[in-house]
Amino acid sequence: MAEHTSDTTTRPIDIAACLELTFPPVTVQLVQALVAPYPELATIGRLIAMDPVLAAAVLNLVNSPYYGLASRVADLQRAAAVLGTREVLKLALSLSFQKKLSSAIKRSTQAMFADWRMVVWSAIAAEHIAQTLCPDKAHLAYLAALLKDLELFLRLCLDETGPLADRSCITSLDNGQLEEEGRLWGNTHPDRAADIIRQWNLPEELAEAIALHHDLDGLDGHPPLVQSVILATRWSDLIHGRGTHPAMLIRFEMLIRARLGLGDEGMDALRASCGQRYSSMLVQLGIRERSVGGRLHETSLRALQSYHFLSTELAHVQGGQEGIAATLGRQLRWYWNLTSWDLSLRVPGTDDHVLYTMDMGHAAPRLRHGPCPAGELPWRPGLSRQPLVTEASTWGELRLAAGTLDKERLSSFGVYCHFIALALEMYHREQAILETKAATLDALPLGITLLDRDGSAIGSNRRMLDLIGYPELVPSTPFMELLRETLGLDLSDDWKALQQPDAPPLHSRLFCPLPDAAARLGAHCAYVSLHRREHDSLLLIEDVTDLSELQAQTLRRHDFLERLFEAMQELVFIVNETGVITWASRKWGRLLQQNLFTISRPATSATPSWDPDTLHAVSPQVPVEVMLDGDGNGPGLYELVLTPLEARDDQGRSWLVVGRDLSTIRRLEDKIRQQAMNDGLTGLFNHSHFHLILEREMERSRRTGRGLGLIFFDLDRFKRINDTYGHQAGDTILRRVAAALASVTRKGMDFPCRYGGDEFAVVTTEIEAEALQRLAMRIRNTVVESCRNAIDLSMGLAMLKPEDTIESFVARTDRASYRAKNQPGGDRLQWAE
């Protein structure tokens, strides 16, 4: 959370205004009615009847599959009689709360969906858990979980550019978040939400549950109601939060199962009940579900455990990509009965992929195509895709023949592939690095052995094994004795001296090995060195038959490193403790003796301080984005990685700084974002972005009370142009239509879009019906004139109504356009009903 300041003299008024917007008096009355010992049906009816849309939404939830009613309930009185007044109140409160928040907070739909998935699951789960721990207070558990993040939503309402604005899901707790809230706000969001509850004269146990909803470590010391809310909060964070590894969810659900005394079937029943009610609630709230691979709540605990076990095997497989393909092939055959598929795997350390194929009749998958960009892989045709993707990157893709799995197993297979993607990510970050390091050590012309404190071998590279004439080494082999027997090298005195507390950490000398060893070494003399470290030691053996050759080799290595650094596009330099650049690759030599913290500045507020103390504060390998005058053409955006180097006796501490120029990457990202928004042919907003614009402007219109209009039209006689003159002529017409639209619409207020094919739409803001009709006529005249009367327009017009949804608004306008199209001769303008 970045630090933001505000005027403390106006803040209380701002908070009160935001609370009034997100939690008006009628919603507060719903809360108070819910906690009453005996909620009155008349009070409930009066409160809900104040909002007909809310009443309809409550009835839709009452009639959802979750409640399984035998016949449809048509009024609230009947709903209360069947389900109970508290149940109806909970539904009304949830719907009202979400509606008010969504209209008061300017936040992307995707981010609000992420937060509401968290809130809905935690409220439902808290009630279900409380039905076991404290049945008489289950409704309070639901209410506490629903309102626990109220302060965070108020903060977004108060300051849309504040520290929460850049977070994709504010209700998912970050590390150190509560401490940061205390520093910025003087208190944490649980405590501030609890204070609001107390101001409404609600039960103290409700405020206590809200104040402690993140105290998982103190779970056992709290009453059952608080425990229910804590468990539900953590469960929701793990099952719907950002970047949760499924292993954490499995462990936590086993904790819930033990806490509630449930068996396997009982835990599955709890998940299923929560999931069914959760799905019904999301439908009524208009919230989209996550992708199949991310909907872990739909998969049983036993299935999650199975998938986790299978993915763990894959994460630690040996044998590189061939081993991964073989292991995955065995799992697909044994667990899913799949014997024919294509699999791409990302090559460690690159963006290239390799392609494996498995066919019936083959015992193991075979490599079909070597490393190349993913877009160039020769996939077999007719296969359905299953990307192996995590939040960090794409690690591969699996393709199956369509219809291989039925709908139910295909959903489970998506979750399994989610686990596999996480395993591949772990493999690339851990096992692949270990294998690369091992291959590098084996390729070195140095004999290297790692020794424990007793002088026994922990591991040796291939060169050392060749020198001593052993194919493998048994762990814990006494290595000093082995060196004496195989090389005639006695290091016992050096080893003893190295172990003395005040002895230098390096012992080295020349030696001449035995004749057989000299033949294996390929030289008559060698150089051996012992390096003591904190918990172990390194022994190195290198051929130094001729010292002049050693010097030449040193020069060659120096020259190689110089050429390597010159070829690198990255900034590479070394700074001392004060930030002065003491060494730089030749390309960046002009930076020598300059201070890093003088010639650069942080690019974001995520790095609040930028001075020599940052060298100690920044974790190694964690990138820092800065503006740096790196190439002499003015400040550029660079990503720096600061790595501490081992201090030498005669020098102070230093840090290796490697910098990557992000300017090109950012330009590419901007281009990709532009392509995602605009139609490639006309440059107008595309079909997908049309819906985002319309949703945003509908919310703004309802918030401001200003009119919103929508124009739909298609091109009469356009098909005849394509059929007669070809599609290039048709494309020219479409571009002229787009240019005409741009010339007559208001920038920033009207949003022309290509809806698809020869269909266009214009979202018009702050407009009334007469002005909308005038604009439509200007559009028609300008387009027809621009296209030299080659086409005509059939136009539908509509103004936003209070009861309109996106779908109904679009449908009304589209029907009007259709009526215009079907008038004799076309070329008509029709108003929606």
Side-chain angles (χ1 to χ4, degrees):
M1 295 173 61
E3 183 169 358
H4 291 256
T5 58
S6 60
D7 186 352
T8 57
T9 60
T10 62
R11 182 170 179 164
I13 297 176
D14 291 340
I15 283 284
C18 286
L19 187 58
E20 176 71 18
L21 286 172
T22 58
F23 227 89
V26 64
T27 311
V28 177
Q29 293 176 45
L30 286 172
V31 173
Q32 292 170 336
L34 177 59
V35 301
Y38 303 102
E40 296 182 2
L41 181 57
T43 303
I44 299 171
R46 177 178 54 81
L47 293 175
I48 299 179
M50 296 172 66
D51 188 345
V53 175
L54 174 62
V58 170
L59 287 175
N60 283 336
L61 267 177
V62 169
N63 290 292
S64 67
Y66 171 77
Y67 291 103
L69 300 181
S71 58
R72 183 172 182 81
V73 174
D75 60 80
L76 294 176
Q77 288 186 338
R78 176 60 180 165
V82 173
L83 301 180
T85 52
R86 278 209 174 102
E87 188 67 19
V88 175
L89 266 175
K90 285 185 298 183
L91 300 179
L93 176 60
S94 302
L95 294 167
S96 176
F97 186 33
Q98 189 260 356
K99 177 182 177 182
K100 297 301 181 183
L101 276 177
S102 299
S103 62
I105 297 175
K106 295 179 181 179
R107 185 165 171 80
S108 73
T109 301
Q110 183 177 0
M112 287 300 291
F113 283 0
D115 284 318
W116 271 102
R117 283 192 289 263
M118 295 272 292
V119 170
V120 170
W121 184 271
S122 60
I124 292 171
E127 182 179 31
H128 279 70
I129 294 171
Q131 284 169 354
T132 297
L133 299 182
C134 49
D136 58 326
K137 297 179 180 178
H139 64 289
L140 295 180
Y142 182 95
L143 182 58
L146 184 70
L147 303 182
K148 59 184 172 54
D149 297 306
L150 177 59
E151 173 67 15
L152 295 176
F153 291 115
L154 290 177
R155 289 283 165 182
L156 271 181
C157 173
L158 175 68
D159 186 1
E160 296 172 358
T161 62
L164 298 173
D166 295 331
R167 289 180 51 186
S168 59
C169 181
I170 63 172
T171 52
S172 181
L173 188 69
D174 286 347
N175 290 333
Q177 177 180 332
L178 297 180
E179 293 78 7
E180 185 72 359
E181 289 177 0
R183 187 178 70 83
L184 293 179
W185 305 336
N187 212 338
T188 64
H189 75 269
D191 286 333
R192 298 182 74 91
D195 288 342
I196 294 173
I197 295 301
R198 294 186 178 101
Q199 293 172 15
W200 292 338
N201 296 320
L202 298 175
E204 177 58 28
E205 58 186 343
L206 182 65
E208 180 186 19
I210 291 176
L212 298 170
H213 71 268
H214 283 306
D215 189 21
L216 184 63
D217 292 337
L219 181 70
D220 291 332
H222 297 310
L225 172 61
V226 178
Q227 291 185 21
S228 301
V229 178
I230 292 173
L231 291 172
T233 298
R234 181 58 176 162
W235 195 12
S236 181
D237 206 352
L238 290 174
I239 208 166
H240 296 292
R242 299 168 298 177
T244 299
H245 195 283
M248 299 173 63
L249 174 62
I250 292 171
R251 288 194 292 268
F252 189 77
E253 289 196 352
M254 293 179 71
L255 169 65
I256 293 179
R257 190 175 73 169
R259 177 70 57 167
L260 302 183
L262 301 175
D264 288 343
E265 293 183 359
M267 188 64 202
D268 286 345
L270 174 63
R271 281 172 130 266
S273 181
C274 289
Q276 189 177 26
R277 187 174 178 189
Y278 167 81
S279 298
S280 298
M281 185 72 78
L282 291 193
V283 170
Q284 290 307 311
L285 295 177
I287 297 171
R288 290 192 300 270
E289 259 281 33
R290 300 176 70 184
S291 62
V292 171
R295 297 206 290 267
L296 301 181
H297 64 277
E298 295 181 352
T299 309
S300 70
L301 179 57
R302 283 171 291 182
L304 290 178
Q305 290 171 321
S306 298
Y307 300 158
H308 175 57
F309 176 81
L310 295 173
S311 66
T312 301
E313 178 190 18
L314 198 67
H316 300 96
V317 72
Q318 296 184 355
Q321 291 171 315
E322 185 174 346
I324 291 176
T327 302
L328 189 56
R330 187 171 62 252
Q331 292 183 6
L332 292 174
R333 183 172 66 255
W334 291 354
Y335 199 92
W336 298 97
N337 197 29
L338 297 175
T339 57
S340 180
W341 43 262
D342 281 3
L343 169 70
S344 73
L345 293 173
R346 184 172 170 179
V347 179
T350 74
D351 289 328
D352 287 341
H353 288 67
V354 293
L355 182 64
Y356 287 88
T357 291
M358 184 68 181
D359 291 311
M360 293 182 63
H362 288 83
R366 54 188 173 86
L367 180 64
R368 184 177 177 187
H369 199 275
C372 68
E376 299 176 11
L377 292 174
W379 297 95
R380 289 183 292 173
L383 302 181
S384 60
R385 300 178 54 196
Q386 182 63 60
L388 303 176
V389 179
T390 64
E391 291 186 354
S393 190
T394 298
W395 304 105
E397 185 173 317
L398 187 61
R399 294 195 180 185
L400 312 174
T404 304
L405 298 173
D406 59 32
K407 183 177 180 181
E408 181 177 352
R409 281 178 57 82
L410 187 61
S411 177
S412 298
F413 188 73
V415 178
Y416 165 80
C417 288
H418 177 67
F419 276 70
I420 295 304
L422 292 171
L424 290 175
E425 182 179 50
M426 182 180 298
Y427 172 84
H428 278 257
R429 291 181 176 177
E430 297 179 5
Q431 185 68 22
I433 293 175
L434 292 177
E435 292 180 356
T436 301
K437 288 181 177 179
T440 302
L441 285 175
D442 284 341
L444 289 175
L446 301 173
I448 304 173
T449 294
L450 182 64
L451 305 170
D452 62 18
R453 290 180 175 178
D454 298 327
S456 297
I458 299 175
S460 298
N461 72 340
R462 176 49 52 190
R463 177 61 170 161
M464 180 65 81
L465 295 175
D466 291 342
L467 288 178
I468 62 177
Y470 276 65
E472 296 292 341
L473 270 185
V474 177
S476 302
T477 299
F479 205 68
M480 298 306 158
E481 297 178 11
L482 191 62
L483 288 176
R484 188 166 53 248
E485 294 172 1
T486 59
L487 300 180
L489 174 61
D490 188 356
L491 291 178
S492 55
D493 291 339
D494 300 82
W495 180 258
K496 290 177 183 178
L498 191 70
Q499 306 310 310
Q500 300 303 315
D502 298 327
L506 172 64
H507 277 239
S508 59
R509 63 184 174 90
L510 291 172
F511 82 103
C512 296
L514 295 173
D516 290 345
R520 292 193 299 271
L521 178 65
H524 296 290
C525 295
Y527 178 83
V528 62
S529 60
L530 281 167
H531 301 258
R532 185 185 70 224
R533 305 194 303 180
E534 184 176 358
H535 301 295
D536 51 37
S537 299
L538 280 174
L539 186 147
L540 287 78
I541 298 178
E542 183 178 11
D543 168 21
V544 287
T545 302
D546 188 343
L547 289 181
S548 62
E549 175 61 24
L550 175 62
Q551 294 169 349
Q553 184 180 2
T554 302
L555 291 175
R556 285 196 297 271
R557 289 177 179 172
H558 183 270
D559 179 63
F560 169 75
L561 289 174
E562 285 289 334
R563 287 187 286 110
L564 177 64
F565 286 129
E566 287 178 16
M568 293 176 63
Q569 296 299 315
E570 290 84 358
L571 282 164
V572 182
F573 49 85
I574 294 175
V575 300
N576 62 18
E577 287 189 301
T578 64
V580 173
I581 298 172
T582 59
W583 179 90
S585 54
R586 186 178 303 174
K587 183 177 179 180
W588 310 101
R590 65 182 187 78
L591 298 179
L592 279 173
Q593 302 307 313
Q594 296 192 56
N595 192 292
L596 170 64
F597 302 102
T598 301
I599 64 174
S600 64
R601 67 181 187 277
T604 67
S605 57
T607 309
S609 62
W610 188 242
D611 53 42
D613 291 339
T614 306
L615 296 170
H616 300 276
V618 174
S619 301
Q621 307 305 320
V622 174
V624 178
E625 291 189 9
V626 302
M627 298 300 297
L628 170 70
D629 188 7
D631 57 6
N633 295 323
L637 180 62
Y638 285 81
E639 179 184 78
L640 303 184
V641 176
L642 313 176
T643 305
L645 300 175
E646 184 177 352
R648 297 185 176 180
D649 296 338
D650 57 340
Q651 299 177 2
R653 294 197 64 185
S654 58
W655 281 258
L656 174 67
V657 181
V658 179
R660 180 173 61 148
D661 187 354
L662 297 180
S663 303
T664 303
I665 297 174
R666 291 292 186 264
R667 286 195 295 271
L668 179 60
E669 290 174 347
D670 291 341
K671 182 178 180 180
I672 292 173
R673 280 194 294 269
Q674 187 71 16
Q675 291 174 343
M677 292 170 52
N678 296 100
D679 174 59
L681 176 64
T682 64
L684 301 177
F685 292 118
N686 59 26
H687 180 96
S688 176
H689 206 64
F690 162 77
H691 288 279
L692 295 177
I693 292 172
L694 186 59
E695 180 179 19
R696 181 193 67 202
E697 296 305 328
M698 286 176 67
E699 292 177 358
R700 181 179 299 169
S701 174
R702 285 172 172 146
R703 189 170 58 251
T704 62
R706 295 171 181 168
L708 180 69
L710 184 59
I711 301 173
F712 258 50
F713 67 87
D714 65 2
L715 309 181
D716 298 333
R717 305 198 306 274
F718 180 74
K719 184 176 184 302
R720 184 185 308 168
I721 293 174
N722 273 337
D723 294 343
T724 304
Y725 302 105
H727 288 285
Q728 288 186 343
D731 290 348
T732 299
I733 291 292
L734 294 176
R735 283 192 286 266
R736 287 182 178 177
V737 172
L741 283 174
S743 69
V744 298
T745 53
R746 303 166 295 172
K747 291 186 180 296
M749 298 183 71
D750 301 330
F751 303 93
C753 311
R754 184 183 180 190
Y755 196 76
D758 64 336
E759 294 180 316
F760 295 83
V762 183
V763 180
T764 63
T765 67
E766 300 187 16
I767 199 166
E768 299 302 329
E770 292 181 0
L772 183 64
Q773 180 154 345
R774 289 195 299 271
L775 174 60
M777 292 304 300
R778 285 200 306 273
I779 290 174
R780 187 266 171 191
N781 294 336
T782 305
V783 168
V784 171
E785 180 181 354
S786 174
C787 296
R788 301 174 185 176
N789 295 308
I791 58 169
D792 290 320
L793 275 60
S794 294
M795 309 182 76
L797 284 68
M799 294 294 296
L800 179 66
K801 294 181 177 181
E803 68 272 14
D804 266 332
T805 63
I806 293 178
E807 292 76 9
S808 66
F809 195 19
V810 171
R812 288 195 303 110
T813 317
D814 187 39
R815 286 194 298 270
S817 173
Y818 183 79
R819 292 199 308 273
K821 185 77 173 180
N822 285 278
Q823 293 293 328
D827 186 22
R828 296 290 188 273
L829 185 152
Q830 289 284 327
W831 276 95
E833 297 175 351

